[in-house]
């Protein structure tokens, strides 16, 4: 009931603040009169369940009613129960974290003593928890390079600039040592075979492929078959878990570079996919110097959580105020700054000097210990460092005796002179009244005056104290942000359960959820589609560019089911994530790109009007942004800090992820850049034409989709389990066709498919092709 009362007060508060002239929702054009009926209607809508995620509160016009009150009370009780349950589980999770961390450290110590020749991986990630021998997390990147394919030049460059590269700290250690070591498993833990590094051979990692594939020359028509065939092969367990395949194209002056790399190389060594190609170090780094000055583009998960702006600003302003007062205090009472303090010392002045010495001693102690918990030889404790700081400032026992003597003399003077004592008491009372009483009276008068003016003029009153005082307005907006964050935390447990487990639970399983996975991967990709045309469609339909691409993806999934002869499901549950292109191709580190969101793609509605499908996708994305803010934040904590894998044992994490991935069997990743004119760069001195990136589906995820934006062109990459082959190419082809259909329905002129496709480069005469080694085709 306390939670219900709090929610009622919060609803009243939000409704009134949205109507006040200094509120966040005030229009910029001028004051608007807000009647009491409007405020009451907003309050009734909130009570009707819209704020709790149960409905739109359509009974606002008819009055609340007994049924509405019961529904609202039941919703508030369920939300409060979920929140209380989450609070009760917090001590258990903290205890589990302590136990799991200690057990993992002890088990790792046992394994290191049992296998001293192995270097065990200490960090546990989500991909590590769900990784199996048959279903590895191998990331793939395909690059199209203009020029002649020269394998020897590639291997010499890798050996010189990457494999023999030393650490910049001057220790002589290799920068990427695990590129030479194979990967193995012992008792559920990944480990690197350090002794096998001496047997490393680069020619087994860089594979020059043949210019023919199954009796046909490699051309644009069969390049997807060639790449898919390479991706479907497992990486050899006796070799380091990375591979570069060079695919020449005799009919054109270009070739393809396929990079496959285990995810542990990216997480353990801080390696990027394109570090193997020297893109970031020699070509792309200067071009990214101004990335941080570019306004980030909107993406699919933009606006999941409104980042607090007033609270950090208030914190900064309060910090500046505290720092200014502290500097004034130091200037007056620090003997190093004002030696006159010790001329006639007082007890208050000496106490302030002790405080200043203590504040100065703490950083010295922390820096002496190096920020760690141990205490190296030669370091001092806080007490010792405080004594040193007091000695520097001349705060000695003689100064304390002089201060005590002066204080005692003043007390005796006041005691023997009643008029002096009465005068001192009167001055003290006057100062207290002036600082406290007058301030309280002034605040009461100001609040009463503001309330009277607001009641008389309502929204037409613009000369309020809040509108004229930036500091008070900052406090007011901070309170509003704190209220919004409290609401997000209060609703989070219930919405997490509803969105992850209970939504669309009555829908029968579809093909992506029931297919038996084999672990091998196949890929496909679409023709690039101009981003300008997608933006024109977005402007015509009122949606965002990402929502337009998502609606076309719904149509592509529908075509996949139809090509299989399967029943088209009503919705396909998908997890979506946004990733910066700079995280793949190098460049300066950007801020966090956020977490995951759960989408229900309306696949059954894809056969209707394309414009209506965009509006349906737009409405669902608004619901996702309204409900899944907590899920987005928690998943971002997991991606950045490993929240779930640190709290729970690895077996329990695997069970949960296998269950959720069976429900959300499709993964969507949007990859873009804050720069629309993202430079392609050069590869070994040759121009880089295009690239395509695939995130591997793991656990029970059968289909991974990537929306990649490079050089103002958008492409769809498809990586699926081999059990979905060869129909995975239908998704890529149908996505481009649905974009064209949507553009025509929105009244946007679309060029012919031949004009949209990249033109082939001039042909060149290649040397004798080298075939793919036979041992790369063996299963693990």
């Amino acid at each position: 009931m306390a939670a219900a009362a709090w929610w009622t007060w919060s609803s009243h508060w939000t409704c009134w603040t949205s109507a006040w002239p200094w509120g966040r929702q005030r229009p910029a054009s001028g004051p608007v009169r807000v009647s009491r009926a409007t405020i009451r209607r907003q309050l009734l809508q909130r009570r009707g369940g819209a704020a709790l995620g149960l409905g739109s509160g359509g009974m606002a016009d008819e009055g609340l009613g007994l049924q509405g009150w019961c529904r609202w009370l039941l919703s508030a009780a369920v939300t409060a129960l979920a929140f209380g349950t989450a609070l009760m589980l917090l001590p258990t999770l903290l205890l589990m974290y302590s136990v799991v961390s200690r057990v993992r450290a002890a088990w790792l110590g046992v394994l290191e003593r049992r296998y001293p020749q192995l270097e065990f991986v200490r960090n546990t990630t989500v991909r590590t928890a769900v990784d199996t021998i048959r279903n590895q997390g191998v990331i793939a990147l395909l690059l199209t390079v203009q020029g002649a394919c020269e394998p020897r030049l590639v291997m010499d460059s890798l050996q010189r600039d990457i494999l023999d590269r030393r650490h910049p700290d001057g220790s002589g250690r290799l920068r990427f040592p695990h590129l030479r070591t194979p990967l193995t498993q012992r008792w559920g833990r990944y480990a690197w075979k350090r002794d096998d590094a001496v047997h490393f051979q680069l020619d087994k990692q860089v594979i020059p492929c043949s210019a023919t594939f199954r009796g046909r020359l490699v051309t644009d028509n069969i390049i997807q078959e060639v790449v898919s065939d390479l991706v479907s092969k497992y990486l050899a367990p006796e070799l380091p878990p990375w591979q570069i395949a060079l695919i020449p194209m005799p009919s054109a002056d270009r070739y393809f570079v396929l990079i496959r790399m285990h995810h542990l190389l990216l997480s353990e060594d801080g390696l990027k996919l394109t570090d193997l190609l020297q893109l970031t170090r020699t070509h792309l780094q200067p071009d990214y110097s101004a990335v941080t000055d570019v306004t980030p583009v909107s993406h699919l998960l933009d606006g999941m959580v409104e980042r607090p702006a007033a609270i950090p600003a208030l914190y900064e302003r309060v910090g500046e105020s505290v720092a200014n007062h502290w500097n004034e205090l130091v200037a007056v009472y620090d003997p190093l700054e004002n030696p006159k303090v010790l001329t006639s010392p007082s007890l208050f002045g000496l106490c302030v000097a002790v405080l200043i010495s203590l504040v100065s001693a703490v950083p010295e102690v922390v820096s002496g210990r190096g920020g760690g918990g141990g205490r190296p030889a030669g370091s001092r404790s806080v007490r010792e460092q405080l004594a040193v700081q007091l000695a520097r400032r001349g705060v000695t026992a003689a100064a304390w005796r002089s201060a005590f003597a002066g204080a005692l003399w003043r007390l005796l003077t006041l005691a023997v002179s009643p008029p002096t004592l009465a005068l001192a008491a009167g001055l003290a009372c006057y100062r207290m009244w002036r600082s406290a009483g007058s301030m309280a009276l002034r605040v009461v008068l100001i609040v009463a005056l503001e309330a009277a003016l607001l009641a008389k003029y309502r929204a037409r009153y613009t000369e309020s104290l809040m509108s004229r005082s930036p500091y008070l307005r900052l406090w007011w907006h901070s309170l509003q942000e704190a209220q919004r964050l409290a609401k997000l935390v209060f609703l989070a447990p219930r919405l997490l359960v509803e969105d992850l487990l209970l939504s669309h639970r009555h829908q029968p399983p579809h093909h992506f959820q029931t297919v038996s996975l084999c672990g091998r991967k196949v890929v496909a990709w679409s023709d690039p589609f101009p981003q300008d045309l997608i933006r024109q469609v977005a402007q015509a339909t009122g949606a965002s560019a990402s929502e337009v691409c998502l609606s076309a993806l719904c149509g592509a999934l529908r075509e996949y089911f139809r090509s299989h002869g399967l029943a088209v499901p009503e919705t396909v549950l998908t997890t979506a994530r946004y990733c910066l292109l700079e995280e793949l191709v190098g460049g300066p580190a950007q801020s966090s790109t956020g977490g995951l969101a759960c989408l229900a793609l309306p696949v059954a509605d894809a056969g209707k009007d394309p414009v209506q499908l965009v509006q349906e996708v737009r409405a669902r994305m608004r619901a996702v942004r309204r409900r899944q803010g907590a899920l987005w934040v928690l998943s971002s904590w997991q991606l950045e800090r490993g929240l779930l894998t640190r709290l729970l044992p690895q077996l329990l994490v695997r069970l949960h992820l296998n269950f959720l991935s069976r429900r959300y069997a499709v993964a969507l990743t949007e990859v873009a850049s804050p720069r629309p004119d993202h430079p392609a760069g050069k590869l070994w001195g040759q121009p880089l034409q295009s690239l395509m990136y695939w995130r591997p589906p793991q656990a029970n995820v059968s289909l991974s989709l990537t929306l990649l934006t490079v050089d103002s062109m958008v492409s769809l990459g498809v990586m699926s389990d081999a059990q979905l082959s060869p129909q995975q190419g239908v998704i890529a082809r149908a996505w481009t066709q649905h974009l064209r259909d949507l553009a025509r329905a929105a009244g946007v002129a679309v060029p012919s498919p031949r004009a949209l496709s990249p033109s082939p480069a001039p042909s060149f005469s290649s040397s004798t092709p080298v075939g793919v080694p036979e041992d790369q085709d063996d299963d693990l």
Side-chain angles (χ1 to χ4, degrees):
M1 296 304 296
W6 175 84
W7 191 262
T8 304
W9 175 86
S10 176
S11 301
H12 282 82
W13 181 268
T14 306
C15 291
W16 278 105
T17 54
S18 63
W20 286 358
W22 56 78
R24 188 179 295 274
Q25 300 180 0
R26 176 184 174 187
S29 58
V32 179
R33 180 182 180 88
V34 181
S35 61
R36 294 184 178 180
T38 302
I39 298 176
R40 178 175 176 80
R41 189 180 301 110
Q42 294 179 0
L43 179 59
L44 293 178
Q45 289 177 352
R46 293 180 182 272
R47 288 179 176 175
L52 295 178
L54 293 180
S56 60
M59 59 184 176
D61 297 333
E62 302 176 0
L64 205 56
L66 181 60
Q67 185 179 2
W69 273 108
C70 293
R71 185 166 61 250
W72 179 82
L73 289 175
L74 178 61
S75 175
V78 172
T79 306
L81 178 62
F83 181 73
T85 304
L87 289 181
M88 290 188 293
L89 288 177
L90 283 180
T92 305
L93 292 177
L94 294 177
L95 178 62
M96 186 176 296
Y97 167 76
S98 178
V99 173
V100 167
S101 60
R102 283 168 171 77
V103 169
R104 282 180 179 172
W107 178 242
L108 191 60
V110 172
L111 292 178
E112 288 177 344
R113 289 190 296 270
R114 176 66 178 81
Y115 304 99
Q117 74 279 8
L118 299 179
E119 179 186 354
F120 284 90
V121 176
R122 295 184 172 272
N123 298 327
T124 302
T125 62
V126 170
R127 289 195 179 276
T128 305
V130 299
D131 230 350
T132 61
I133 297 297
R134 305 289 301 180
N135 193 358
Q136 296 181 348
V138 179
I139 299 172
L141 179 69
L142 180 68
L143 302 102
T144 306
V145 186
Q146 183 178 359
C149 181
E150 300 180 5
R152 180 49 54 187
L153 175 63
V154 173
M155 287 189 284
D156 292 342
S157 179
L158 287 175
Q159 185 71 44
R160 180 181 63 256
D161 298 331
I162 300 299
L163 296 174
D164 294 338
R165 186 177 174 185
R166 302 295 171 175
H167 205 276
D169 59 0
S171 60
R173 297 181 291 114
L174 292 175
R175 180 64 180 86
F176 306 115
H178 296 148
L179 290 176
R180 300 171 177 265
T181 56
L183 189 64
T184 185
Q185 280 190 346
R186 292 292 187 274
W187 296 96
R189 301 287 300 193
Y190 272 116
W192 303 98
K193 298 180 180 180
R194 291 179 294 189
D195 296 342
D196 292 354
V198 296
H199 306 295
F200 173 77
Q201 296 180 8
L202 183 57
D203 54 356
K204 293 184 178 180
Q205 306 297 131
V206 179
I207 304 176
C209 298
S210 174
T212 60
F213 178 74
R214 296 176 182 175
R216 297 174 294 173
L217 288 177
V218 177
T219 60
D220 290 330
N221 296 328
I222 68 170
I223 185 60
Q224 296 200 18
E225 298 181 35
V226 177
V227 175
S228 188
D229 182 72
L230 290 172
V231 171
S232 64
K233 296 178 174 62
Y234 287 112
L235 295 175
E238 69 275 5
L239 298 178
W242 63 276
Q243 183 185 88
I244 295 180
L246 305 177
I247 310 171
M249 184 178 291
S251 60
D253 188 15
R254 66 177 183 272
Y255 64 97
F256 297 90
V257 180
L258 176 63
I259 308 174
R260 301 173 63 202
M261 184 178 297
H262 198 277
H263 66 87
L264 282 177
L265 285 172
L266 305 179
S267 59
E268 289 293 305
D269 287 4
L271 187 68
K272 295 182 182 295
L273 287 172
T274 51
D275 279 337
L276 295 176
L277 312 174
Q278 303 98 57
L279 280 174
T280 60
R281 196 168 62 90
T282 59
H283 298 289
L284 292 184
Q285 184 70 23
D287 295 331
Y288 282 102
S289 58
V291 169
T292 55
D293 300 333
V294 181
T295 303
V297 295
S298 61
H299 52 86
L300 185 62
L301 302 183
D302 192 14
M304 290 295 297
V305 175
E306 185 179 354
R307 296 184 180 275
I311 294 179
L314 180 63
Y315 175 80
E316 182 179 358
R317 188 158 186 172
V318 171
E320 292 178 356
S321 178
V322 171
N324 293 334
H325 285 82
W326 177 258
N327 293 332
E328 294 177 359
L329 191 69
V330 169
V332 174
Y333 292 100
D334 190 358
L336 296 179
E337 300 290 337
N338 185 15
K340 296 181 180 179
V341 175
L342 299 179
T343 303
S344 55
S346 62
L347 290 178
F348 178 77
L350 292 180
C351 290
V352 174
V354 171
L355 177 62
I356 296 173
S357 302
L358 179 61
V359 173
S360 302
V362 171
E364 297 292 336
V365 175
V366 173
S367 61
R369 294 181 179 180
R375 184 182 177 184
S379 63
R380 297 173 177 175
S381 63
V382 177
R383 185 175 181 179
E384 295 171 349
Q385 194 64 244
L386 177 60
V388 172
Q389 296 293 334
L390 290 175
R392 287 181 56 196
R393 288 167 172 81
V395 182
T396 59
W400 283 104
R401 287 193 297 268
S402 177
F404 273 111
L408 182 61
W409 174 254
R410 285 190 293 272
L411 287 176
L412 292 176
T413 303
L414 292 176
V416 299
S417 178
T420 306
L421 181 61
L423 180 60
L427 289 175
C429 292
Y430 172 74
R431 291 171 181 172
M432 291 178 60
W433 177 84
R434 188 181 61 180
S435 59
S438 63
M439 181 61 67
L441 181 61
R442 184 181 303 175
V443 169
V444 170
L445 292 177
I446 291 176
V447 170
L449 179 61
E450 293 288 323
L453 293 175
L454 286 173
K456 181 177 180 180
Y457 296 101
R458 295 182 181 177
R460 294 177 296 173
Y461 179 57
T462 59
E463 295 299 325
S464 64
L465 181 63
M466 289 289 183
S467 62
R468 289 178 295 172
S469 174
Y471 194 70
L472 291 179
R473 188 165 61 249
L474 191 60
W475 275 97
W476 178 256
H477 291 318
S478 299
L479 290 176
Q480 289 181 322
E481 290 181 352
Q483 177 200 359
R484 188 176 67 252
L485 294 177
K487 176 182 175 181
L488 177 66
V489 173
F490 182 69
L491 295 177
R494 176 181 177 177
L495 294 182
L496 284 174
V497 174
E498 288 181 350
D499 293 333
L500 287 178
L501 304 177
L502 302 181
S503 63
H504 305 278
R505 64 183 183 276
H506 300 300
Q507 176 181 316
H510 51 77
H511 179 63
F512 293 141
Q513 298 173 328
T514 58
V515 63
S516 179
L517 306 179
C518 68
R520 289 179 174 270
K521 306 297 188 296
V522 291
V523 297
W525 63 93
S526 68
D527 293 332
F529 199 86
Q531 191 178 20
D532 293 339
L533 292 181
I534 297 178
R535 290 175 178 172
Q536 293 178 20
V537 176
Q539 293 177 358
T541 56
S544 65
S546 299
E547 292 168 350
V548 171
C549 295
L550 194 62
S551 62
L553 186 58
C554 296
L557 293 177
R558 183 174 182 271
E559 292 298 327
Y560 171 84
F561 286 105
R562 293 182 59 188
S563 65
H564 259 288
L566 303 171
V568 179
E570 181 181 355
T571 58
V572 171
L573 297 180
T574 308
T575 58
R577 183 191 177 190
Y578 171 71
C579 181
L580 285 173
L581 183 61
E582 282 70 26
E583 296 180 1
L584 304 178
V585 299
Q590 301 290 313
S591 59
S592 173
T593 52
L596 303 174
C598 298
L599 311 181
L601 302 181
V603 177
D605 297 338
K608 301 178 182 179
D609 183 22
V611 179
Q612 293 182 359
L613 177 61
V614 174
Q615 300 302 326
E616 175 66 21
V617 171
R618 184 186 180 192
R620 296 199 178 197
M621 288 305 304
R622 284 200 301 265
V624 166
R625 295 185 183 98
R626 185 178 66 250
R627 293 175 58 89
Q628 297 186 16
L631 175 62
W632 187 83
V633 172
L634 292 176
S635 58
S636 64
W637 288 353
Q638 166 60 35
L639 295 174
E640 296 175 11
R641 305 178 181 89
L643 176 65
L644 180 64
T645 52
R646 291 177 182 270
L647 289 178
L648 304 178
Q650 185 171 344
L651 178 60
L652 194 58
V653 172
R654 175 174 294 185
L655 292 176
H656 280 83
L657 293 178
N658 285 335
F659 169 75
L660 291 176
S661 59
R662 178 64 67 181
R663 177 175 169 83
Y664 296 90
V666 179
L668 174 64
T669 306
E670 184 180 13
V671 181
S673 172
R675 294 187 56 167
D677 54 342
H678 187 281
K682 290 186 177 182
L683 178 62
W684 302 306
Q686 297 172 326
L688 181 64
Q689 292 184 346
S690 63
L691 60 89
M692 177 53 65
Y693 166 75
W694 294 276
R695 285 181 62 207
Q698 287 188 272
N700 291 320
V701 177
S702 58
L703 182 63
S704 177
L705 306 171
T706 303
L707 287 172
L708 179 64
T709 303
V710 179
D711 290 337
S712 300
M713 301 294 287
V714 185
S715 303
L716 175 65
V718 180
M719 175 178 279
S720 66
D721 192 84
Q723 292 295 95
L724 275 62
S725 177
Q727 283 80 8
Q728 83 278 356
V730 174
I731 302 176
R733 294 189 296 269
W735 178 78
T736 307
Q737 183 60 41
H738 277 78
L739 280 179
R740 297 192 189 100
D741 297 341
L742 179 57
R744 295 189 187 98
V748 178
V750 182
S752 63
R754 184 178 298 274
L756 294 178
S757 301
S759 59
S763 60
F764 73 104
S765 59
S766 68
S767 58
T768 304
V770 181
V772 180
E774 296 295 334
D775 58 350
Q776 297 297 325
D777 198 21
D778 296 336
D779 294 345
L780 292 180

